[in-house]
Amino acid sequence: MTMRGDSVPGGGFSRRRALRLAGGGLALAALTAGATGCREDGSDLGASGSSGGTGGSGASKGPGGDEPAGGGAGKDGQAPKPLWTRTTSAQTYGDNDELVATSGVVIASGEPLAALDAASGAERWSLEDGAVPGAPMLLGNGTLYLASATYDGTVAGYDPASGKETWRSHLGKGYRQPRPIAVDDRQVYVIAEVLEADGSSKTNVIAALNGRTGRPAWKERRDLGTEGNGIHAHAQGRHLVYTDFKKNLTVRDTTTGRQVWTRKTTKTNYGFLAVHENLVIVPQGPKLQAFALADGSPKWSVETAESYVSFKEPAVMDGVLYLADSSRTLRALDPRTGKEIWTSQALADADLTVPRQYVKAGGVLYAATDLDQRGGVIAVDARTGAVRWTFNDGSGDYHAWLVATDGKHVFALHGKKLHALPV
């Protein structure tokens, strides 16, 4: 692994990712040099559980064939048996925010939207027309924010423990299909189509809604040619950072909506980024680069050993940046500097699929993979990168795995099957 300041070409297209793009509208982000304050525009530059540390869900089933008996920690490198398994109404496309766990419940995006008790799997509440399939479910300030599946132009907030509506906002009659993209302690940020007189839409708007009253705090129309799909965003302090399908990485002021800076990207990573303190960190093919949120200035970069090897989705947890690359090398880096904490070849040694989402509980990193049978949910020692076990339900379902945790359980969603694993 080398650390340099120059850009490197590379990267490729994943068939699995294409399936998710078709449904959920993921974005891209891979950065190249760009001037601070440049224009945000629409132009486009140039299987069942196996042996050898892999566990399945072969536990005996309880009443109704949905809830396995028992549970407990895995032994001898085998995955633990699920505490419970439920068939859900999930309608997911592999986006990381389509499965959430909070307030004693776990919720998978679906119709109807149902919250299951984290400990037992019993349904706690259900909401008809609760969520738009493929749209984010955002948690913030003890509230679950959803775009309305009735497509009536509203964004609503709910108490995740009870399912009761606690907040509602309507952006206005001149806008269509507002979807939440980020939330902080003051505002909910949405993207929506701007309606023309004939009912069509050629542009979109990004807006901030007051987290207490629901009233719009500001609205900023984006440039012609930009798209509302594929937005990945994160709000931190005075900065709202997001990516889109048109290869823009943009930062706006959360108080005014003013664009602070934007950069054109060159490599497709489908919009995944990580934010830590005053930095935004974005994979771009064989290069991982960090930029200052304040002005977009480059701060550090890391490269893979080979130009054809691409970095995958990053995640920062407990002050450590975790990410894998297409050669199945897993890294833990200091997000402030990009310096290596550890590098592990355990994924490649065990012939496992590259992870695409991470959560952490009890000193263990739980990584969810795409649809490959050599994947599932992989438990990794967060201190060393060693693989402890892999859980796969053996269903062969073509959906990507999703993972969430409440600190007491790890929830693994695969298609419509939701499994609760002990931590």
Side-chain angles (χ1 to χ4, degrees), residues 19-303:
L19 293 174
R20 297 221 302 276
L21 285 171
L26 300 185
L28 52 90
L31 301 176
T32 186
T36 298
C38 62
R39 184 173 179 270
E40 177 190 4
D41 59 36
S43 61
D44 193 347
L45 306 177
S48 63
S50 61
S51 60
T54 303
S57 57
S60 59
K61 300 291 183 178
D66 238 2
E67 185 175 353
K75 297 180 180 180
D76 300 325
Q78 296 295 309
K81 294 179 180 179
L83 299 170
W84 53 261
T85 294
R86 292 292 187 189
T87 300
T88 70
S89 59
Q91 294 173 299
T92 64
Y93 299 96
D95 246 341
N96 295 351
D97 41 27
E98 294 177 315
L99 179 69
V100 297
T102 185
S103 304
V105 298
V106 56
I107 308 168
S109 180
E111 172 55 40
L113 188 70
L116 305 184
D117 185 274
S120 68
E123 184 176 296
R124 291 264 290 269
W125 56 262
S126 179
L127 183 64
E128 297 292 337
D129 298 321
V132 176
M137 299 192 299
L138 296 185
L139 288 171
N141 307 313
T143 302
L144 175 68
Y145 296 99
L146 303 170
S148 173
T150 58
Y151 301 97
D152 58 1
T154 63
V155 177
Y158 300 87
D159 174 12
S162 66
K164 294 181 179 179
E165 184 178 308
T166 58
W167 179 90
R168 178 170 284 260
S169 179
H170 195 282
L171 192 59
K173 292 183 179 180
Y175 306 98
R176 180 170 58 193
Q177 298 179 4
R179 294 180 294 109
I181 57 171
V183 60
D184 59 22
D185 58 0
R186 296 182 300 117
Q187 297 175 147
V188 180
Y189 304 90
V190 300
I191 196 89
E193 297 176 357
V194 179
L195 287 176
E196 304 293 333
D198 62 358
S200 65
S201 178
K202 300 180 178 65
T203 57
N204 61 86
V205 66
I206 192 164
L209 309 175
N210 186 285
R212 183 175 57 85
T213 66
R215 296 192 184 97
W218 50 259
K219 303 173 188 175
E220 291 290 329
R221 186 180 293 227
R222 300 175 69 221
D223 293 324
L224 184 67
T226 57
E227 297 179 0
N229 292 324
I231 299 288
H232 280 231
H234 184 91
Q236 183 156 302
R238 289 291 299 271
H239 302 105
L240 172 67
V241 56
Y242 59 94
T243 59
D244 64 19
F245 269 143
K246 290 295 184 179
K247 301 182 181 178
N248 297 301
L249 173 73
T250 302
V251 173
R252 292 185 179 272
D253 187 296
T254 55
T255 301
T256 66
R258 178 183 63 86
Q259 182 176 292
V260 179
W261 59 267
T262 189
R263 285 178 175 269
K264 269 300 180 187
T265 64
T266 58
K267 299 296 177 187
T268 299
N269 89 321
Y270 309 98
F272 291 100
L273 54 82
V275 175
H276 180 70
E277 296 179 349
N278 61 346
L279 297 176
V280 53
I281 305 164
V282 187
Q284 46 175 337
K287 190 173 186 178
L288 180 72
Q289 195 161 10
F291 296 89
L293 281 174
D295 58 13
S297 58
K299 292 302 179 182
W300 58 258
S301 66
V302 173
E303 295 179 20

Side-chain angles (χ1 to χ4, degrees), residues 17 23 73 104 149 220 282 302 327 378 383 385-386 401:
R17 191 77 66 207
E220 291 290 329
V282 187
V302 173
S327 72
I378 306 169
R383 298 168 300 174
W401 286 83

Side-chain angles (χ1 to χ4, degrees), residues 1-6 8 286-288 300-306 311 331 338 340:
M1 179 174 65
T2 56
M3 300 183 65
R4 292 186 238 159
D6 55 330
V8 177
K287 190 173 186 178
L288 180 72
W300 58 258
S301 66
V302 173
E303 295 179 20
T304 59
E306 303 291 344
F311 282 114
R331 292 176 174 85
E340 182 181 299

